[in-house]
Amino acid sequence: MIKNANEIIEETDEDLQLQAGMQLTSDERQCLLQNGMLFIDIQRIQPYLSSIRLYLQNTTPVERVWTIFKVQDITNNQLANYILSVAINPQNQGE
């Protein structure tokens, strides 16, 4: 079954809530829906980061529709933001 964008955003929000206690705001959900990615401020994600990291380490990419990347400022090597990225994984489309 192919998941549409709304289903992917719903699944992402649900995963974040269940695994880390983080709930996306309506603006964050809308941004993900429009762009497929969301820049998250360090202060916003900090309380949830260890739980998110553990979930991502214990879950294969095939089993999820989202991931998070670090964005580092190349001028000073400081962590700038995190990016929450959603995508349809081709391996999951046949389920």
Side-chain angles (χ1 to χ4, degrees):
M1 175 177 157
I2 295 176
K3 296 177 183 178
N4 68 38
N6 286 318
E7 291 171 328
I8 291 170
I9 304 308
E10 292 283 333
E11 183 176 335
T12 301
D13 194 21
E14 184 177 303
D15 281 352
L16 287 168
Q17 288 178 49
L18 293 173
Q19 302 303 325
M22 179 180 176
Q23 184 170 7
L24 297 174
T25 66
S26 59
D27 287 344
E28 290 170 335
R29 291 169 60 103
Q30 188 63 33
C31 182
L32 276 175
L33 192 58
Q34 291 176 348
N35 304 310
M37 70 174 109
L38 169 69
F39 284 86
I40 302 176
D41 185 81
I42 297 166
Q43 287 77 26
R44 165 76 168 111
I45 201 169
Q46 189 63 43
Y48 315 103
L49 197 53
S50 62
S51 296
I52 290 170
R53 185 176 288 127
L54 185 64
Y55 173 72
L56 292 174
Q57 288 171 348
N58 293 325
T59 309
T60 64
V62 173
E63 296 176 291
R64 53 188 155 78
V65 294
W66 63 276
T67 195
I68 291 186
F69 301 97
K70 288 182 183 180
V71 179
Q72 198 166 13
D73 186 332
I74 62 170
T75 61
N76 60 14
N77 288 328
Q78 296 293 314
L79 181 63
N81 283 304
Y82 287 87
I83 296 177
L84 172 63
S85 174
V86 296
I88 295 175
N89 187 330
Q91 287 88 357
N92 289 341
Q93 288 185 9
E95 295 178 2

Coordinates of all heavy atoms in Angstrom, one line a residue:
M1 N 0.8 -1.2 0.0 CA 0.0 0.0 0.0 C 0.9 1.2 0.0 O 1.8 1.4 0.8 CB -0.9 0.0 1.2 CG -1.7 1.2 1.4 SD -2.7 0.9 2.9 CE -3.0 2.6 3.3
I2 N 0.6 2.1 -0.9 CA 1.4 3.4 -1.0 C 0.8 4.4 0.0 O -0.4 4.6 0.0 CB 1.4 3.9 -2.4 CG1 2.1 3.0 -3.4 CG2 2.0 5.3 -2.5 CD1 2.0 3.4 -4.8
K3 N 1.7 5.0 0.8 CA 1.2 6.0 1.7 C 1.2 7.3 1.1 O 2.2 7.7 0.4 CB 2.1 5.9 3.0 CG 2.1 4.6 3.7 CD 3.1 4.6 4.8 CE 3.1 3.3 5.5 NZ 4.0 3.2 6.6
N4 N 0.2 8.1 1.3 CA 0.2 9.5 0.8 C 0.9 10.4 1.8 O 1.2 10.0 2.9 CB -1.2 9.9 0.4 CG -2.1 10.1 1.6 OD1 -1.7 10.6 2.7 ND2 -3.4 9.8 1.5
A5 N 1.1 11.6 1.4 CA 1.8 12.5 2.3 C 1.2 12.7 3.6 O 1.9 12.8 4.7 CB 2.0 13.9 1.6
N6 N -0.1 12.8 3.7 CA -0.8 13.0 5.0 C -0.6 11.8 5.9 O -0.4 12.0 7.1 CB -2.3 13.3 4.7 CG -2.6 14.7 4.2 OD1 -2.0 15.6 4.7 ND2 -3.5 14.7 3.3
E7 N -0.6 10.6 5.3 CA -0.4 9.4 6.1 C 1.0 9.4 6.7 O 1.2 9.0 7.8 CB -0.7 8.2 5.3 CG -2.2 8.0 5.0 CD -2.4 6.9 4.0 OE1 -1.5 6.6 3.1 OE2 -3.5 6.2 4.1
I8 N 1.9 9.8 5.9 CA 3.3 9.9 6.3 C 3.5 10.8 7.5 O 4.2 10.5 8.5 CB 4.3 10.2 5.1 CG1 4.3 9.0 4.2 CG2 5.7 10.5 5.6 CD1 5.0 9.3 2.9
I9 N 2.9 12.0 7.4 CA 3.0 13.0 8.4 C 2.3 12.5 9.7 O 2.9 12.7 10.8 CB 2.4 14.4 8.0 CG1 3.1 14.9 6.7 CG2 2.5 15.4 9.1 CD1 4.6 15.0 6.7
E10 N 1.2 11.9 9.5 CA 0.5 11.3 10.7 C 1.4 10.3 11.4 O 1.5 10.3 12.6 CB -0.8 10.6 10.2 CG -1.9 11.6 9.7 CD -2.6 12.3 10.9 OE1 -2.7 11.8 12.0 OE2 -3.1 13.4 10.6
E11 N 2.0 9.4 10.6 CA 2.8 8.3 11.2 C 4.0 8.9 11.9 O 4.4 8.5 12.9 CB 3.3 7.4 10.1 CG 4.1 6.2 10.6 CD 4.4 5.2 9.5 OE1 3.7 5.1 8.5 OE2 5.5 4.5 9.7
T12 N 4.6 10.0 11.3 CA 5.8 10.6 11.9 C 5.4 11.2 13.2 O 6.1 11.1 14.2 CB 6.3 11.7 10.9 OG1 6.7 11.1 9.7 CG2 7.5 12.4 11.5
D13 N 4.3 12.0 13.2 CA 3.9 12.6 14.5 C 3.5 11.6 15.5 O 3.9 11.7 16.7 CB 2.6 13.5 14.2 CG 2.3 14.5 15.3 OD1 3.2 14.8 16.1 OD2 1.2 14.9 15.4
E14 N 2.9 10.5 15.1 CA 2.6 9.4 16.1 C 3.8 8.8 16.6 O 3.9 8.6 17.8 CB 1.7 8.4 15.4 CG 1.2 7.3 16.3 CD 0.3 6.3 15.6 OE1 -0.7 6.8 15.1 OE2 0.6 5.1 15.6
D15 N 4.8 8.5 15.8 CA 6.1 7.9 16.2 C 6.8 8.8 17.2 O 7.2 8.4 18.3 CB 7.0 7.7 15.0 CG 6.7 6.4 14.2 OD1 5.9 5.6 14.7 OD2 7.3 6.3 13.2
L16 N 6.8 10.1 16.9 CA 7.5 11.1 17.8 C 6.8 11.1 19.1 O 7.4 11.2 20.2 CB 7.6 12.5 17.1 CG 8.6 12.6 16.0 CD1 8.3 13.9 15.3 CD2 10.0 12.5 16.5
Q17 N 5.5 11.1 19.1 CA 4.7 11.1 20.4 C 4.9 9.9 21.2 O 5.2 9.9 22.4 CB 3.2 11.3 20.1 CG 2.8 12.7 19.6 CD 1.4 12.8 19.3 OE1 0.5 12.4 20.1 NE2 1.0 13.3 18.1
L18 N 4.8 8.7 20.5 CA 4.9 7.4 21.3 C 6.4 7.2 21.7 O 6.6 6.6 22.8 CB 4.5 6.3 20.4 CG 3.0 6.2 20.0 CD1 2.7 5.2 19.0 CD2 2.2 6.0 21.3
Q19 N 7.3 7.5 20.9 CA 8.7 7.1 21.2 C 9.4 8.2 22.0 O 10.4 7.8 22.7 CB 9.5 6.9 19.9 CG 8.9 5.8 19.0 CD 8.7 4.4 19.7 OE1 9.6 4.1 20.6 NE2 7.7 3.7 19.4
A20 N 9.0 9.4 21.9 CA 9.8 10.5 22.6 C 8.9 11.5 23.4 O 9.5 12.3 24.1 CB 10.6 11.2 21.6
G21 N 7.6 11.4 23.2 CA 6.8 12.4 23.9 C 6.7 13.7 23.2 O 6.2 14.7 23.8
M22 N 7.2 13.8 22.0 CA 7.2 15.1 21.2 C 6.1 15.1 20.3 O 5.9 14.2 19.5 CB 8.6 15.2 20.5 CG 8.7 16.5 19.6 SD 10.2 16.5 18.7 CE 10.0 18.0 17.8
Q23 N 5.3 16.2 20.4 CA 4.1 16.3 19.5 C 4.4 17.5 18.5 O 4.8 18.6 19.0 CB 2.9 16.6 20.2 CG 1.6 16.6 19.3 CD 0.3 16.6 20.1 OE1 0.3 16.7 21.3 NE2 -0.7 16.5 19.4
L24 N 4.2 17.3 17.2 CA 4.4 18.3 16.3 C 3.3 19.3 16.3 O 2.1 18.9 16.5 CB 4.5 17.7 14.8 CG 5.6 16.8 14.5 CD1 5.5 16.2 13.2 CD2 7.0 17.5 14.7
T25 N 3.6 20.6 16.2 CA 2.6 21.6 16.1 C 1.9 21.6 14.7 O 2.4 21.0 13.8 CB 3.2 23.0 16.3 OG1 4.0 23.3 15.2 CG2 3.9 23.1 17.6
S26 N 0.8 22.2 14.6 CA 0.1 22.3 13.3 C 1.0 22.9 12.2 O 1.0 22.5 11.1 CB -1.2 22.9 13.4 OG -1.1 24.2 13.8
D27 N 1.8 24.0 12.6 CA 2.7 24.6 11.7 C 3.8 23.7 11.3 O 4.2 23.7 10.1 CB 3.3 25.9 12.3 CG 2.3 27.0 12.4 OD1 1.2 27.0 11.7 OD2 2.6 28.0 13.1
E28 N 4.3 22.9 12.2 CA 5.4 22.0 11.9 C 4.9 20.9 10.9 O 5.5 20.5 10.0 CB 5.9 21.3 13.2 CG 6.7 22.3 14.0 CD 7.1 21.8 15.4 OE1 6.4 20.9 15.9 OE2 8.1 22.2 15.9
R29 N 3.7 20.4 11.2 CA 3.1 19.4 10.3 C 2.8 19.9 8.9 O 3.1 19.3 7.9 CB 1.7 18.9 10.9 CG 1.9 18.1 12.2 CD 0.6 17.8 12.9 NE -0.4 17.1 12.0 CZ -0.7 15.8 12.1 NH1 -0.1 15.1 13.1 NH2 -1.5 15.3 11.3
Q30 N 2.4 21.2 8.9 CA 2.2 21.8 7.6 C 3.5 22.0 6.8 O 3.5 21.7 5.6 CB 1.5 23.2 7.7 CG 1.0 23.8 6.5 CD -0.1 23.0 5.7 OE1 -0.9 22.3 6.4 NE2 0.0 23.0 4.4
C31 N 4.5 22.4 7.5 CA 5.8 22.5 6.9 C 6.3 21.2 6.3 O 6.8 21.1 5.2 CB 6.8 23.1 7.9 SG 8.5 23.4 7.2
L32 N 6.2 20.1 7.1 CA 6.5 18.8 6.6 C 5.7 18.4 5.4 O 6.3 17.8 4.5 CB 6.4 17.7 7.7 CG 7.5 17.6 8.7 CD1 7.1 16.6 9.8 CD2 8.7 17.1 8.0
L33 N 4.5 18.7 5.4 CA 3.6 18.3 4.3 C 4.0 19.1 3.0 O 4.0 18.5 2.0 CB 2.1 18.7 4.7 CG 1.0 18.2 3.8 CD1 1.1 16.6 3.7 CD2 -0.3 18.6 4.3
Q34 N 4.4 20.3 3.2 CA 4.8 21.1 2.0 C 6.2 20.8 1.5 O 6.4 20.9 0.3 CB 4.6 22.6 2.3 CG 3.2 23.1 2.5 CD 3.1 24.5 2.9 OE1 4.1 25.1 3.3 NE2 1.9 25.1 2.9
N35 N 7.1 20.6 2.4 CA 8.5 20.5 2.1 C 9.2 19.1 2.2 O 10.3 18.9 1.7 CB 9.3 21.5 2.9 CG 8.8 22.9 2.8 OD1 8.6 23.4 1.7 ND2 8.6 23.6 3.9
G36 N 8.5 18.3 3.0 CA 9.2 17.0 3.3 C 10.3 17.1 4.3 O 10.9 16.1 4.7
M37 N 10.5 18.3 4.8 CA 11.5 18.4 5.9 C 11.2 19.6 6.7 O 10.4 20.5 6.3 CB 12.9 18.5 5.3 CG 13.3 19.8 4.6 SD 15.0 19.8 4.1 CE 14.9 19.5 2.4
L38 N 11.7 19.6 7.9 CA 11.4 20.6 8.9 C 12.7 20.9 9.7 O 13.3 20.0 10.3 CB 10.3 20.1 9.9 CG 10.1 20.9 11.1 CD1 9.4 22.3 10.8 CD2 9.1 20.1 12.1
F39 N 13.1 22.2 9.7 CA 14.2 22.6 10.5 C 13.7 22.7 12.0 O 12.7 23.4 12.2 CB 14.8 23.9 10.0 CG 15.7 23.7 8.8 CD1 15.1 23.8 7.5 CD2 17.0 23.6 8.9 CE1 15.8 23.6 6.4 CE2 17.8 23.4 7.7 CZ 17.2 23.4 6.5
I40 N 14.4 22.1 12.9 CA 14.0 22.1 14.3 C 15.1 22.8 15.1 O 16.3 22.3 15.1 CB 13.7 20.7 14.8 CG1 12.6 20.0 14.0 CG2 13.3 20.8 16.3 CD1 12.4 18.6 14.4
D41 N 14.7 23.8 15.8 CA 15.7 24.5 16.7 C 16.2 23.5 17.8 O 15.5 22.7 18.3 CB 14.9 25.7 17.3 CG 15.8 26.5 18.2 OD1 16.5 27.4 17.6 OD2 15.8 26.3 19.4
I42 N 17.4 23.7 18.2 CA 18.0 22.9 19.2 C 17.2 22.9 20.5 O 17.0 21.8 21.1 CB 19.5 23.3 19.5 CG1 20.3 23.1 18.2 CG2 20.1 22.5 20.6 CD1 21.6 23.8 18.2
Q43 N 16.8 24.0 20.9 CA 16.0 24.1 22.2 C 14.7 23.4 22.1 O 14.2 22.8 23.1 CB 15.7 25.6 22.6 CG 16.9 26.3 23.1 CD 17.9 26.7 22.0 OE1 17.5 26.9 20.8 NE2 19.2 26.9 22.3
R44 N 14.1 23.4 20.9 CA 12.8 22.7 20.7 C 13.0 21.2 20.8 O 12.1 20.5 21.4 CB 12.2 23.0 19.3 CG 11.1 22.2 18.8 CD 9.8 22.4 19.4 NE 8.7 21.8 18.7 CZ 8.0 20.8 19.2 NH1 8.3 20.3 20.4 NH2 7.0 20.3 18.5
I45 N 14.0 20.6 20.3 CA 14.2 19.2 20.2 C 15.0 18.6 21.4 O 14.9 17.4 21.7 CB 14.9 18.8 18.9 CG1 14.6 17.3 18.6 CG2 16.4 19.1 18.9 CD1 15.0 16.8 17.2
Q46 N 15.7 19.4 22.1 CA 16.6 18.9 23.2 C 15.9 18.0 24.2 O 16.5 17.0 24.5 CB 17.2 20.1 23.9 CG 18.3 19.7 24.9 CD 19.5 19.1 24.2 OE1 19.9 19.5 23.2 NE2 20.0 18.0 24.8
P47 N 14.7 18.3 24.7 CA 14.1 17.4 25.7 C 13.8 16.0 25.2 O 13.6 15.1 26.0 CB 12.8 18.2 26.1 CG 13.0 19.6 25.7 CD 14.0 19.5 24.5
Y48 N 13.7 15.9 23.9 CA 13.3 14.6 23.2 C 14.4 13.9 22.6 O 14.3 12.8 22.1 CB 12.2 14.9 22.2 CG 11.1 15.9 22.7 CD1 11.1 17.2 22.3 CD2 10.2 15.4 23.6 CE1 10.1 18.1 22.8 CE2 9.2 16.3 24.1 CZ 9.2 17.6 23.7 OH 8.2 18.5 24.1
L49 N 15.6 14.5 22.4 CA 16.6 14.1 21.6 C 17.2 12.7 22.0 O 17.4 11.8 21.1 CB 17.8 15.1 21.6 CG 18.8 14.9 20.5 CD1 18.1 14.9 19.1 CD2 19.8 16.1 20.5
S50 N 17.4 12.4 23.2 CA 17.9 11.1 23.6 C 16.9 10.0 23.3 O 17.3 8.9 22.8 CB 18.3 11.1 25.1 OG 17.2 11.3 25.9
S51 N 15.6 10.2 23.5 CA 14.6 9.2 23.1 C 14.5 9.0 21.6 O 14.4 7.9 21.1 CB 13.2 9.6 23.7 OG 13.3 9.6 25.1
I52 N 14.6 10.1 20.9 CA 14.6 10.0 19.4 C 15.8 9.3 18.9 O 15.7 8.4 18.0 CB 14.5 11.4 18.8 CG1 13.1 12.1 19.0 CG2 14.8 11.4 17.3 CD1 13.0 13.5 18.7
R53 N 16.9 9.6 19.4 CA 18.2 9.0 19.0 C 18.1 7.5 19.3 O 18.5 6.6 18.4 CB 19.4 9.6 19.8 CG 20.7 9.0 19.3 CD 21.9 9.7 20.0 NE 22.0 11.1 19.4 CZ 22.1 12.2 20.2 NH1 22.0 12.1 21.5 NH2 22.2 13.4 19.6
L54 N 17.6 7.1 20.4 CA 17.5 5.6 20.8 C 16.5 4.9 19.8 O 16.8 3.8 19.3 CB 17.0 5.5 22.2 CG 16.9 4.1 22.8 CD1 18.3 3.4 22.8 CD2 16.3 4.1 24.2
Y55 N 15.4 5.6 19.5 CA 14.5 5.0 18.6 C 15.1 4.8 17.2 O 15.0 3.7 16.6 CB 13.2 5.9 18.5 CG 12.3 5.4 17.4 CD1 11.5 4.3 17.6 CD2 12.1 6.2 16.2 CE1 10.6 3.9 16.6 CE2 11.2 5.8 15.2 CZ 10.5 4.6 15.4 OH 9.6 4.2 14.4
L56 N 15.8 5.8 16.7 CA 16.4 5.7 15.4 C 17.5 4.7 15.3 O 17.7 4.0 14.3 CB 16.9 7.1 15.0 CG 15.9 8.2 14.7 CD1 16.6 9.5 14.4 CD2 15.0 7.8 13.5
Q57 N 18.2 4.5 16.4 CA 19.3 3.5 16.5 C 18.7 2.1 16.5 O 19.3 1.2 16.0 CB 20.2 3.7 17.7 CG 21.1 4.9 17.6 CD 21.8 5.2 19.0 OE1 21.4 4.7 20.0 NE2 22.8 6.1 18.9
N58 N 17.5 1.9 17.1 CA 16.9 0.6 17.3 C 15.9 0.2 16.2 O 15.3 -0.8 16.3 CB 16.3 0.5 18.7 CG 17.3 0.5 19.8 OD1 18.4 0.0 19.6 ND2 16.9 1.1 20.9
T59 N 15.7 1.1 15.3 CA 14.7 0.9 14.2 C 15.4 1.1 12.8 O 16.1 2.1 12.6 CB 13.6 2.0 14.3 OG1 13.1 2.0 15.6 CG2 12.5 1.6 13.3
T60 N 15.3 0.1 12.0 CA 15.9 0.1 10.7 C 15.2 1.2 9.8 O 14.0 1.4 10.0 CB 15.9 -1.2 10.0 OG1 14.6 -1.6 9.7 CG2 16.6 -2.3 10.8
P61 N 15.9 1.8 8.9 CA 15.3 2.8 8.0 C 14.1 2.2 7.2 O 13.2 2.9 6.9 CB 16.4 3.2 7.0 CG 17.7 2.9 7.8 CD 17.4 1.7 8.7
V62 N 14.1 0.9 7.0 CA 13.0 0.3 6.2 C 11.7 0.3 7.1 O 10.6 0.3 6.5 CB 13.4 -1.2 5.9 CG1 12.2 -1.9 5.3 CG2 14.5 -1.2 4.9
E63 N 11.8 0.4 8.4 CA 10.7 0.3 9.3 C 10.1 1.7 9.6 O 9.1 1.7 10.3 CB 11.1 -0.4 10.6 CG 11.5 -1.8 10.5 CD 12.0 -2.4 11.8 OE1 13.1 -2.0 12.3 OE2 11.3 -3.3 12.3
R64 N 10.6 2.7 9.1 CA 10.1 4.1 9.4 C 10.1 5.0 8.2 O 10.8 4.7 7.2 CB 10.9 4.7 10.6 CG 12.4 4.8 10.4 CD 13.1 5.2 11.6 NE 14.4 4.8 11.7 CZ 15.5 5.3 11.0 NH1 15.3 6.3 10.2 NH2 16.7 4.8 11.2
V65 N 9.3 6.0 8.3 CA 9.2 7.0 7.1 C 9.9 8.3 7.4 O 9.7 9.2 6.7 CB 7.7 7.2 6.8 CG1 7.1 5.9 6.3 CG2 6.9 7.8 8.0
W66 N 10.6 8.4 8.5 CA 11.3 9.7 8.9 C 12.6 9.4 9.5 O 12.9 8.3 9.9 CB 10.4 10.5 9.8 CG 10.2 9.8 11.1 CD1 9.2 8.8 11.4 CD2 10.9 10.0 12.3 NE1 9.3 8.4 12.7 CE2 10.4 9.1 13.3 CE3 12.0 10.8 12.7 CZ2 10.8 9.0 14.6 CZ3 12.5 10.7 14.0 CH2 11.9 9.8 14.9
T67 N 13.4 10.4 9.5 CA 14.7 10.4 10.2 C 15.1 11.9 10.5 O 14.4 12.8 10.1 CB 15.8 9.8 9.3 OG1 16.9 9.5 10.2 CG2 16.2 10.6 8.2
I68 N 16.1 12.0 11.3 CA 16.6 13.3 11.7 C 18.1 13.5 11.4 O 18.8 12.5 11.6 CB 16.3 13.6 13.2 CG1 14.8 13.7 13.4 CG2 17.0 14.8 13.7 CD1 14.4 14.1 14.8
F69 N 18.4 14.6 10.9 CA 19.8 14.9 10.6 C 20.3 16.1 11.4 O 19.5 17.0 11.7 CB 20.0 15.3 9.1 CG 19.5 14.2 8.1 CD1 18.3 14.3 7.6 CD2 20.4 13.2 7.8 CE1 17.8 13.3 6.7 CE2 20.0 12.2 6.9 CZ 18.7 12.3 6.3
K70 N 21.6 16.1 11.7 CA 22.2 17.3 12.3 C 22.7 18.3 11.2 O 23.2 17.8 10.2 CB 23.4 16.9 13.1 CG 23.2 16.2 14.4 CD 24.5 15.9 15.1 CE 24.3 15.1 16.3 NZ 25.6 14.9 17.0
V71 N 22.5 19.5 11.5 CA 23.0 20.6 10.6 C 24.1 21.3 11.3 O 23.8 21.9 12.4 CB 21.9 21.6 10.2 CG1 22.5 22.6 9.2 CG2 20.8 20.8 9.5
Q72 N 25.3 21.3 10.8 CA 26.4 21.9 11.5 C 26.9 23.1 10.7 O 27.0 23.1 9.4 CB 27.6 20.9 11.6 CG 28.6 21.3 12.6 CD 29.5 20.1 12.9 OE1 29.5 19.1 12.3 NE2 30.3 20.2 14.0
D73 N 27.2 24.2 11.3 CA 27.7 25.4 10.7 C 29.2 25.2 10.3 O 30.0 24.9 11.2 CB 27.6 26.6 11.7 CG 28.0 27.9 11.0 OD1 28.8 27.9 10.1 OD2 27.5 28.9 11.5
I74 N 29.5 25.2 9.0 CA 30.8 24.9 8.6 C 31.9 26.0 8.9 O 33.1 25.7 8.9 CB 30.9 24.6 7.1 CG1 30.5 25.8 6.3 CG2 30.1 23.4 6.7 CD1 30.7 25.7 4.8
T75 N 31.4 27.2 9.3 CA 32.4 28.2 9.6 C 33.0 28.0 11.0 O 34.1 28.4 11.3 CB 31.8 29.6 9.5 OG1 30.7 29.7 10.4 CG2 31.3 29.9 8.1
N76 N 32.2 27.4 11.9 CA 32.7 27.3 13.3 C 32.4 25.9 13.9 O 32.6 25.7 15.1 CB 32.1 28.3 14.2 CG 30.6 28.3 14.3 OD1 29.9 27.3 13.9 ND2 29.9 29.3 14.8
N77 N 31.9 25.0 13.1 CA 31.7 23.6 13.5 C 30.7 23.5 14.7 O 30.7 22.5 15.4 CB 33.0 22.8 13.9 CG 33.8 22.5 12.6 OD1 33.2 22.3 11.6 ND2 35.1 22.5 12.8
Q78 N 29.8 24.5 14.8 CA 28.8 24.5 15.9 C 27.5 23.9 15.3 O 27.2 24.1 14.1 CB 28.5 25.9 16.4 CG 29.7 26.5 17.0 CD 30.0 25.9 18.3 OE1 29.2 25.6 19.2 NE2 31.3 25.6 18.5
L79 N 26.8 23.1 16.1 CA 25.6 22.6 15.8 C 24.6 23.7 15.6 O 24.4 24.5 16.4 CB 25.0 21.6 16.8 CG 23.7 20.9 16.6 CD1 23.8 20.0 15.4 CD2 23.3 20.1 17.8
A80 N 23.9 23.8 14.4 CA 23.1 24.9 14.1 C 21.6 24.5 14.3 O 20.8 25.2 14.9 CB 23.3 25.3 12.6
N81 N 21.2 23.3 13.7 CA 19.8 22.9 13.8 C 19.8 21.4 13.6 O 20.8 20.7 13.3 CB 18.9 23.5 12.7 CG 18.6 24.9 12.9 OD1 17.9 25.2 13.9 ND2 18.9 25.8 12.0
Y82 N 18.5 20.8 13.7 CA 18.3 19.5 13.3 C 17.3 19.6 12.2 O 16.5 20.5 12.1 CB 17.7 18.6 14.4 CG 18.7 18.3 15.5 CD1 19.0 19.1 16.5 CD2 19.4 17.1 15.4 CE1 20.0 18.8 17.5 CE2 20.4 16.7 16.3 CZ 20.6 17.6 17.4 OH 21.6 17.3 18.3
I83 N 17.3 18.6 11.3 CA 16.3 18.5 10.2 C 15.5 17.2 10.4 O 16.1 16.1 10.4 CB 16.9 18.5 8.8 CG1 17.6 19.8 8.5 CG2 15.8 18.3 7.7 CD1 18.3 19.9 7.2
L84 N 14.2 17.3 10.5 CA 13.3 16.2 10.5 C 12.9 16.0 9.0 O 12.4 16.9 8.4 CB 12.1 16.4 11.4 CG 11.0 15.4 11.3 CD1 11.5 14.0 11.8 CD2 9.8 15.8 12.1
S85 N 13.2 14.8 8.5 CA 12.9 14.6 7.1 C 12.0 13.4 7.0 O 12.2 12.3 7.6 CB 14.3 14.3 6.4 OG 14.0 13.9 5.1
V86 N 11.0 13.5 6.1 CA 10.1 12.4 5.8 C 10.2 12.0 4.4 O 10.5 12.8 3.5 CB 8.6 12.8 6.2 CG1 8.5 13.0 7.7 CG2 8.1 14.0 5.4
A87 N 10.0 10.7 4.1 CA 10.0 10.3 2.7 C 9.3 8.9 2.6 O 9.2 8.2 3.6 CB 11.4 10.1 2.2
I88 N 8.8 8.6 1.5 CA 8.3 7.3 1.2 C 9.4 6.4 0.9 O 10.2 6.6 0.0 CB 7.3 7.3 0.0 CG1 6.0 8.1 0.4 CG2 6.9 5.9 -0.3 CD1 5.1 8.3 -0.7
N89 N 9.5 5.3 1.7 CA 10.6 4.3 1.5 C 10.1 3.3 0.5 O 9.1 2.7 0.7 CB 10.9 3.7 2.8 CG 12.1 2.8 2.8 OD1 12.4 2.2 1.7 ND2 12.8 2.6 3.9
P90 N 10.7 3.1 -0.6 CA 10.3 2.2 -1.7 C 10.0 0.8 -1.1 O 9.1 0.1 -1.6 CB 11.4 2.2 -2.7 CG 12.1 3.5 -2.5 CD 12.0 3.8 -1.0
Q91 N 10.8 0.3 -0.1 CA 10.6 -1.0 0.4 C 9.2 -1.1 1.1 O 8.7 -2.2 1.2 CB 11.7 -1.4 1.4 CG 13.0 -1.7 0.8 CD 13.8 -0.4 0.6 OE1 13.4 0.7 0.9 NE2 15.0 -0.6 0.0
N92 N 8.6 0.0 1.6 CA 7.4 -0.1 2.4 C 6.2 0.1 1.4 O 5.1 -0.1 1.9 CB 7.3 1.0 3.4 CG 8.3 0.7 4.6 OD1 8.7 -0.4 4.8 ND2 8.6 1.8 5.3
Q93 N 6.4 0.4 0.2 CA 5.2 0.7 -0.7 C 4.4 -0.5 -1.0 O 3.2 -0.4 -1.2 CB 5.7 1.4 -2.0 CG 6.2 2.8 -1.8 CD 6.6 3.5 -3.0 OE1 6.3 2.9 -4.1 NE2 7.2 4.6 -2.9
G94 N 4.9 -1.7 -0.9 CA 4.2 -2.9 -1.3 C 3.4 -3.4 -0.1 O 2.7 -4.4 -0.3
E95 N 3.5 -2.9 1.1 CA 2.8 -3.4 2.2 C 1.4 -3.0 2.3 O 0.9 -2.1 1.8 CB 3.5 -3.0 3.5 CG 4.9 -3.5 3.6 CD 5.6 -3.1 4.8 OE1 5.1 -2.3 5.7 OE2 6.8 -3.5 5.0

